[in-house]
Structures are given as structure tokens and as C-alpha cells.
Amino acid sequence: MILVTGGAGYIGSHACAALASAGHEILIVDNLSNSRRSVIDELAVLSGVRPLFVEGDIRDSSLMNNLFRKYTVKAVFHFAGLKAVGESVQKPLEYYDNNIRGTLDLLDAMRRASVKTLIFSSSATVYGDPERVPIPESAPRSATNPYGRSKLVIEDILADLYGAEDDWRIARLRYFNPVGAHPSGRIGEAPQGIPNNLMPFIAQVATGQREFLNVYGNDYPTPDGTGVRDYIHVMDLVEGHVAALEYLRNAGGLLTVNLGTGQGYSVLEMIKAFEQASGRSVPYRIAARRPGDIAQCWADSSLARELLDWKATRKLAEMCTDTWRWQKSAAMFNQ
Ligand code: NAD
Ligand code: UFG
């Protein structure tokens, strides 16, 4: 059985779908602070088997110890955490507590139960403002906000742990920009309030929920002046996790890899691709740069290809079509 922390969330729920397809049994722990219980029903429909679900917090040590005693867990996929960059600047202690203490408590419970295989959600945010693109895993790391710092610190904690106890098998997966949704349209990204990220915002403009998109800056040193990112389909991303699990099983060790496509798209290219996929127009206005944003960021994805025999295959059109399918059903649900 695989324990999935944060398994009701955006990436965690897709990972559960991929794990179920690969024949794994799943136990989800999620405190539903940023997700809905109904995701579990959708996962049951998608995979034909209802995943075990426990509503709870990974910082609740007695709950976690009990779960590890009750179930035979082979590995942990650790998605639980807070992820909004701006909010992390306003609430640093909450972010450090949830992300760092949450991970420490999880590791403690795992060690007590001798469960020593962990797949951790890190982020391209650990590269800060990159010196060059594409970004290899060896690039210098830095943090410009508490969210990013929590990822840096957790990466270091995991390296220290592996340095001290080399029977752990740990993957630190650095995600670029996950977008898209399960092709069924049953699960997807459901941000609360005004979306921070580009793709969910574009999707809400396309449905008419929002009037226009603010494009944060068109004077960056990029081909059209708008920010460039490496958008990766969430299904590719989670398949990368399943490949990482397989890798750890065979090779063990401490694995650190980028999960990206290796290709960057600008904000204007994203708008155009979404308009084509949805048949709707996405009005936009050029606004000031968003504080803390970088000009461009895309992955050197060669290491994942070499070590995991995995690469992202879904193209931008599919990312947009799948987001649109999900957005339409989510909009209906919210009416
Ligand atoms: P999400 O908010 O949709 O999912 C996180 C889930 O964890 C939610 O369901 C939430 O309820 C749960 N959770 C939070 N704190 C918890 C706690 N203490 N105990 C139990 N459950 C808890 O976010 P996501 O986009 O699916 O991201 C998953 C992971 O991937 C996060 O660690 C995030 O930092 C990382 N990540 C995300 C992105 C991205 O762009 N989405 C990029 C890089 C890294
Ligand atoms: N953008 C807009 N308008 C919006 C939202 C975004 O123009 O309303 C632009 C941004 O300026 C940027 C691009 O769209 O150029 C992508 O922005 P996102 O907020 O979608 O993504 P970021 O690359 O800024 O950050 C995301 C996550 C971080 C994570 C990082 C790398 O939010 O947590 O990817 O994985 F660290």
C-alpha cells in the first residue's frame, strides 16, 4: 500500500489515479484544508476501487503512528503542504509549521514504522532566479520567499537524513509548472478564491467567471516580453512519480530530478493556445510586473529521461483541452 499525503489535492489526486492504474493500493491522508472530500468519490469512480481515506493532519503524530501500525505501507508520496507564494510572505510561521514540521513529523512516524521510501514534492522554486536556462539539477539553489525556503530546507533535511541513514530511499522531485487535468474531467485543480496561477485564471476568464486576465509585465527579456515557464501536464508529472518509485525500488539512494518538459511558453502563447483549445476568447490587459516573478524558467529534463526512462509526452494543446474540459464541469458544479 502507498500512503499519499495531500492525496485529495490537485497533484496528489492525479497521483492516486496513476498509482491505481499501476495496480497500487492507496491510503490517503489529507486535512482537506485546500481540497474537497468529493475528490475521493471521483477517484473511486475513476479507478473502480475506493481509496482508503483518512481526514487528518500529518502533524498529528498519534494519528500517523496508528496508521503506520494499522496498514502495511511500502512507500509514501508526500504532497501535503501549503503552496501559495504570496500567502507564505504574509504567514511565514504557518508555512514553516505546515511544510517543515509536517515533513519532520511524517519522517518520524515513517522511521518508527521502518517505512523508508519517500517521494517528495519539491519545486523549481528552489532555483530562485536562474542564471541560465534550461536549468540542470546542479544549478545553484536559493529562496526568495518562505514557501520556497520551506522547500529548500526540506530538501536539505532529506539529504541529511539519507547521509546519516543510507537505508532510506528518497526522491526529491522538482516540479516545473503543473497544469491540465485528468482526461476524464472528473478531477483537476480547484483553487479557492482568486487563482494565483496563470492556467486556472485563464480558464476562468474563458468561462466568463472573470472579465480579463492581467498579464504581469511585457518588458521581460523574452521573445514577446512576457514571462516564460515550463508547463507540464499533471498526468505526465504523476507518471514521473510512478517511474521514480520504480527507480527507488531498483536502485535505492537519494534521487533529485527535475520534472518538466524542457520547453518554455510565454504568457501570450498560453493565452493563444487556450483560445484555440476552448474556442473562447481570453481578453487580457498588460499590467505591472508581479513582485518576485522571474523572466524565464524551464527545465533541463535530460536526467529524468536517463534515470527514470520517463519524459513528458503531452503537448500544450492537450494541457489546454484537458484544463478546459475540467473547467467546464467545475463551473457547472459551482452553479
Ligand atoms: P494542493 O493544495 O492542491 O494539495 C495539497 C493537499 O495537501 C491539499 O489537499 C491539502 O488539503 C493537503 N494538506 C495541506 N496541509 C496538510 C497537512 N498538514 N496535513 C494533511 N493534509 C494537508 O496543492 P498541489 O498543487 O496538489 O501541490 C502538492 C505539492 O506539490 C505541494 O507540496 C506543493 O508545494 C508542491 N508543488 C506544487 C506546484 C504547483 O504548481 N501546483 C509546483 C511545485 C511543487
Ligand atoms: N501570470 C500572469 N497573470 C496571472 C498569473 C500569472 O501574467 O494572473 C504570469 C506570471 O507573471 C508568470 C506566468 O504567468 O510569468 C506563470 O505564473 P504562475 O503563477 O502560474 O507560476 P509561477 O511560475 O510564478 O510559479 C509556479 C508556482 C510556484 C512554483 C513555480 C515553479 O506558483 O509555487 O511555479 O514550480 F514555485
Short mmCIF file of all heavy atoms in Angstrom, two decimals, residues 6 8-12 30-35 56-59 79-81 83 98 121-123 147 151 175-176 178, ligand 1:
data_model
loop_
_atom_site.label_atom_id
_atom_site.label_comp_id
_atom_site.label_asym_id
_atom_site.label_seq_id
_atom_site.Cartn_x
_atom_site.Cartn_y
_atom_site.Cartn_z
N GLY A 6 -1.80 14.47 1.37
CA GLY A 6 -2.31 15.51 0.46
C GLY A 6 -2.94 14.90 -0.79
O GLY A 6 -3.00 15.54 -1.84
N ALA A 8 -5.94 14.35 -1.62
CA ALA A 8 -7.18 14.93 -2.15
C ALA A 8 -6.91 16.20 -2.93
O ALA A 8 -7.81 16.77 -3.55
CB ALA A 8 -8.16 15.22 -1.00
N GLY A 9 -5.66 16.66 -2.91
CA GLY A 9 -5.31 17.91 -3.59
C GLY A 9 -5.11 17.71 -5.09
O GLY A 9 -5.34 16.62 -5.63
N TYR A 10 -4.68 18.79 -5.73
CA TYR A 10 -4.57 18.78 -7.19
C TYR A 10 -3.61 17.69 -7.69
O TYR A 10 -4.02 16.75 -8.39
CB TYR A 10 -4.09 20.17 -7.64
CG TYR A 10 -3.74 20.30 -9.10
CD1 TYR A 10 -4.53 19.73 -10.11
CD2 TYR A 10 -2.60 21.02 -9.49
CE1 TYR A 10 -4.19 19.87 -11.45
CE2 TYR A 10 -2.27 21.17 -10.83
CZ TYR A 10 -3.06 20.59 -11.80
OH TYR A 10 -2.72 20.73 -13.12
N ILE A 11 -2.35 17.78 -7.31
CA ILE A 11 -1.39 16.81 -7.86
C ILE A 11 -1.57 15.44 -7.19
O ILE A 11 -1.52 14.40 -7.85
CB ILE A 11 0.05 17.34 -7.71
CG1 ILE A 11 0.17 18.70 -8.41
CG2 ILE A 11 1.06 16.37 -8.30
CD1 ILE A 11 1.47 19.44 -8.16
N GLY A 12 -1.82 15.47 -5.87
CA GLY A 12 -1.99 14.20 -5.14
C GLY A 12 -3.13 13.35 -5.70
O GLY A 12 -3.00 12.13 -5.81
N ASP A 30 -5.37 13.44 4.35
CA ASP A 30 -5.49 14.84 3.92
C ASP A 30 -6.37 15.56 4.95
O ASP A 30 -7.38 15.02 5.38
CB ASP A 30 -6.12 14.91 2.52
CG ASP A 30 -5.89 16.25 1.83
OD1 ASP A 30 -6.27 17.29 2.43
OD2 ASP A 30 -5.35 16.27 0.72
N ASN A 31 -5.98 16.78 5.33
CA ASN A 31 -6.81 17.52 6.29
C ASN A 31 -7.87 18.38 5.60
O ASN A 31 -8.59 19.13 6.26
CB ASN A 31 -5.94 18.37 7.24
CG ASN A 31 -5.18 19.47 6.49
OD1 ASN A 31 -5.41 19.71 5.31
ND2 ASN A 31 -4.28 20.15 7.21
N LEU A 32 -7.96 18.27 4.29
CA LEU A 32 -8.95 18.98 3.47
C LEU A 32 -8.87 20.50 3.64
O LEU A 32 -9.85 21.20 3.42
CB LEU A 32 -10.38 18.47 3.77
CG LEU A 32 -10.61 16.97 3.54
CD1 LEU A 32 -12.08 16.60 3.83
CD2 LEU A 32 -10.28 16.57 2.10
N SER A 33 -7.68 21.00 4.00
CA SER A 33 -7.54 22.46 4.15
C SER A 33 -7.57 23.14 2.78
O SER A 33 -7.90 24.32 2.69
CB SER A 33 -6.25 22.81 4.88
OG SER A 33 -5.13 22.31 4.18
N ASN A 34 -7.24 22.41 1.73
CA ASN A 34 -7.28 23.02 0.39
C ASN A 34 -7.86 22.04 -0.63
O ASN A 34 -7.44 22.01 -1.78
CB ASN A 34 -5.86 23.46 -0.03
CG ASN A 34 -5.90 24.44 -1.19
OD1 ASN A 34 -6.81 25.27 -1.28
ND2 ASN A 34 -4.93 24.35 -2.08
N SER A 35 -8.82 21.23 -0.19
CA SER A 35 -9.40 20.25 -1.11
C SER A 35 -10.76 19.81 -0.59
O SER A 35 -11.16 20.18 0.52
CB SER A 35 -8.47 19.05 -1.26
OG SER A 35 -8.09 18.57 0.02
N GLY A 56 -7.25 13.94 8.20
CA GLY A 56 -6.38 14.24 9.34
C GLY A 56 -5.15 14.97 8.89
O GLY A 56 -4.92 15.17 7.69
N ASP A 57 -4.38 15.37 9.90
CA ASP A 57 -3.23 16.22 9.64
C ASP A 57 -1.94 15.40 9.83
O ASP A 57 -1.83 14.63 10.79
CB ASP A 57 -3.26 17.38 10.64
CG ASP A 57 -2.37 18.52 10.21
OD1 ASP A 57 -1.13 18.33 10.15
OD2 ASP A 57 -2.89 19.60 9.92
N ILE A 58 -0.99 15.61 8.94
CA ILE A 58 0.26 14.85 9.05
C ILE A 58 1.06 15.24 10.30
O ILE A 58 1.98 14.54 10.69
CB ILE A 58 1.16 14.98 7.79
CG1 ILE A 58 1.46 16.45 7.48
CG2 ILE A 58 0.53 14.28 6.60
CD1 ILE A 58 2.56 16.64 6.46
N ARG A 59 0.70 16.37 10.92
CA ARG A 59 1.38 16.76 12.16
C ARG A 59 0.77 16.10 13.38
O ARG A 59 1.24 16.31 14.50
CB ARG A 59 1.34 18.29 12.31
CG ARG A 59 2.17 19.00 11.26
CD ARG A 59 1.84 20.47 11.19
NE ARG A 59 0.47 20.66 10.68
CZ ARG A 59 -0.10 21.84 10.49
NH1 ARG A 59 0.57 22.95 10.77
NH2 ARG A 59 -1.32 21.93 10.01
N PHE A 79 2.65 14.88 -0.65
CA PHE A 79 2.19 16.11 -1.32
C PHE A 79 1.66 17.14 -0.35
O PHE A 79 1.48 18.30 -0.72
CB PHE A 79 1.04 15.78 -2.30
CG PHE A 79 1.43 14.85 -3.41
CD1 PHE A 79 1.12 13.49 -3.35
CD2 PHE A 79 2.09 15.32 -4.53
CE1 PHE A 79 1.47 12.63 -4.38
CE2 PHE A 79 2.45 14.48 -5.57
CZ PHE A 79 2.13 13.12 -5.49
N ALA A 80 1.35 16.73 0.89
CA ALA A 80 0.67 17.65 1.82
C ALA A 80 1.55 18.85 2.11
O ALA A 80 2.73 18.71 2.42
CB ALA A 80 0.33 16.92 3.12
N GLY A 81 0.96 20.02 1.99
CA GLY A 81 1.71 21.24 2.28
C GLY A 81 0.94 22.45 1.78
O GLY A 81 -0.06 22.30 1.07
N LYS A 83 1.09 26.05 -0.44
CA LYS A 83 1.87 26.31 -1.66
C LYS A 83 1.73 27.71 -2.26
O LYS A 83 2.25 27.95 -3.35
CB LYS A 83 1.49 25.27 -2.72
CG LYS A 83 0.03 25.37 -3.14
CD LYS A 83 -0.26 24.62 -4.42
CE LYS A 83 -1.70 24.79 -4.83
NZ LYS A 83 -2.04 24.21 -6.09
N ASN A 98 3.53 24.05 8.78
CA ASN A 98 2.86 23.03 7.99
C ASN A 98 3.86 22.24 7.14
O ASN A 98 3.85 21.00 7.13
CB ASN A 98 1.81 23.70 7.09
CG ASN A 98 0.70 22.74 6.70
OD1 ASN A 98 0.92 21.54 6.62
ND2 ASN A 98 -0.48 23.25 6.49
N SER A 121 7.50 16.18 -3.00
CA SER A 121 7.17 17.24 -3.96
C SER A 121 8.03 18.46 -3.71
O SER A 121 7.71 19.29 -2.87
CB SER A 121 5.73 17.72 -3.74
OG SER A 121 4.81 16.69 -3.78
N SER A 122 9.13 18.58 -4.45
CA SER A 122 9.86 19.82 -4.39
C SER A 122 9.44 20.68 -5.59
O SER A 122 8.44 20.36 -6.25
CB SER A 122 11.37 19.58 -4.36
OG SER A 122 12.05 20.80 -4.09
N SER A 123 10.17 21.72 -5.86
CA SER A 123 9.69 22.69 -6.84
C SER A 123 10.86 23.38 -7.53
O SER A 123 11.93 23.55 -6.94
CB SER A 123 8.85 23.73 -6.10
OG SER A 123 8.64 24.86 -6.90
N TYR A 147 7.70 30.17 1.27
CA TYR A 147 7.32 28.91 0.61
C TYR A 147 8.55 28.24 0.01
O TYR A 147 8.82 27.06 0.25
CB TYR A 147 6.26 29.18 -0.47
CG TYR A 147 6.06 27.98 -1.39
CD1 TYR A 147 5.44 26.82 -0.92
CD2 TYR A 147 6.51 27.99 -2.71
CE1 TYR A 147 5.28 25.71 -1.74
CE2 TYR A 147 6.36 26.89 -3.54
CZ TYR A 147 5.74 25.76 -3.05
OH TYR A 147 5.59 24.65 -3.86
N LYS A 151 10.76 24.61 0.96
CA LYS A 151 11.16 23.51 0.06
C LYS A 151 12.67 23.28 0.14
O LYS A 151 13.14 22.14 0.16
CB LYS A 151 10.76 23.83 -1.38
CG LYS A 151 9.26 23.85 -1.63
CD LYS A 151 8.63 22.49 -1.48
CE LYS A 151 7.12 22.52 -1.65
NZ LYS A 151 6.45 21.26 -1.31
N TYR A 175 9.24 20.00 -9.41
CA TYR A 175 8.22 20.24 -10.44
C TYR A 175 8.41 21.60 -11.06
O TYR A 175 8.64 22.58 -10.37
CB TYR A 175 6.81 20.26 -9.86
CG TYR A 175 6.40 19.15 -8.96
CD1 TYR A 175 5.27 19.30 -8.16
CD2 TYR A 175 7.08 17.94 -8.90
CE1 TYR A 175 4.84 18.30 -7.32
CE2 TYR A 175 6.65 16.93 -8.06
CZ TYR A 175 5.54 17.11 -7.26
OH TYR A 175 5.11 16.13 -6.42
N PHE A 176 8.19 21.68 -12.35
CA PHE A 176 8.11 22.98 -13.00
C PHE A 176 6.66 23.47 -12.88
O PHE A 176 6.14 23.53 -11.78
CB PHE A 176 8.76 22.92 -14.39
CG PHE A 176 10.27 23.00 -14.21
CD1 PHE A 176 10.97 21.97 -13.61
CD2 PHE A 176 10.97 24.15 -14.53
CE1 PHE A 176 12.34 22.08 -13.33
CE2 PHE A 176 12.33 24.27 -14.27
CZ PHE A 176 13.02 23.24 -13.66
N PRO A 178 2.97 22.63 -13.14
CA PRO A 178 1.94 21.63 -13.45
C PRO A 178 0.63 22.29 -13.87
O PRO A 178 0.16 23.22 -13.22
CB PRO A 178 1.73 20.89 -12.11
CG PRO A 178 2.84 21.33 -11.21
CD PRO A 178 3.28 22.67 -11.69
P1 NAD B 1 -2.95 21.30 -3.19
O1 NAD B 1 -3.14 22.40 -2.21
O2 NAD B 1 -3.99 21.09 -4.23
O3 NAD B 1 -2.75 19.91 -2.42
C1 NAD B 1 -2.15 19.82 -1.15
C2 NAD B 1 -3.07 18.97 -0.28
O4 NAD B 1 -2.48 18.80 1.00
C3 NAD B 1 -4.45 19.60 -0.07
O5 NAD B 1 -5.44 18.64 -0.34
C4 NAD B 1 -4.45 19.99 1.41
O6 NAD B 1 -5.74 19.88 1.97
C5 NAD B 1 -3.47 18.98 2.00
N1 NAD B 1 -2.75 19.43 3.20
C6 NAD B 1 -2.09 20.59 3.39
N2 NAD B 1 -1.50 20.59 4.60
C7 NAD B 1 -1.78 19.39 5.17
C8 NAD B 1 -1.45 18.79 6.42
N3 NAD B 1 -0.70 19.43 7.32
N4 NAD B 1 -1.90 17.55 6.69
C9 NAD B 1 -2.66 16.88 5.77
N5 NAD B 1 -3.01 17.40 4.59
C10 NAD B 1 -2.58 18.63 4.30
O7 NAD B 1 -1.51 21.51 -3.87
P2 NAD B 1 -0.85 20.78 -5.12
O8 NAD B 1 -0.77 21.74 -6.24
O9 NAD B 1 -1.50 19.46 -5.34
O10 NAD B 1 0.63 20.60 -4.58
C11 NAD B 1 1.06 19.39 -3.96
C12 NAD B 1 2.52 19.53 -3.55
O11 NAD B 1 3.30 19.85 -4.70
C13 NAD B 1 2.75 20.68 -2.55
O12 NAD B 1 3.73 20.25 -1.62
C14 NAD B 1 3.29 21.79 -3.41
O13 NAD B 1 4.14 22.66 -2.69
C15 NAD B 1 4.08 21.01 -4.47
N6 NAD B 1 4.24 21.77 -5.72
C16 NAD B 1 3.15 22.24 -6.38
C17 NAD B 1 3.31 23.00 -7.54
C18 NAD B 1 2.12 23.55 -8.28
O14 NAD B 1 2.31 24.46 -9.10
N7 NAD B 1 0.89 23.06 -8.06
C19 NAD B 1 4.60 23.24 -8.04
C20 NAD B 1 5.70 22.72 -7.35
C21 NAD B 1 5.50 21.98 -6.19
#
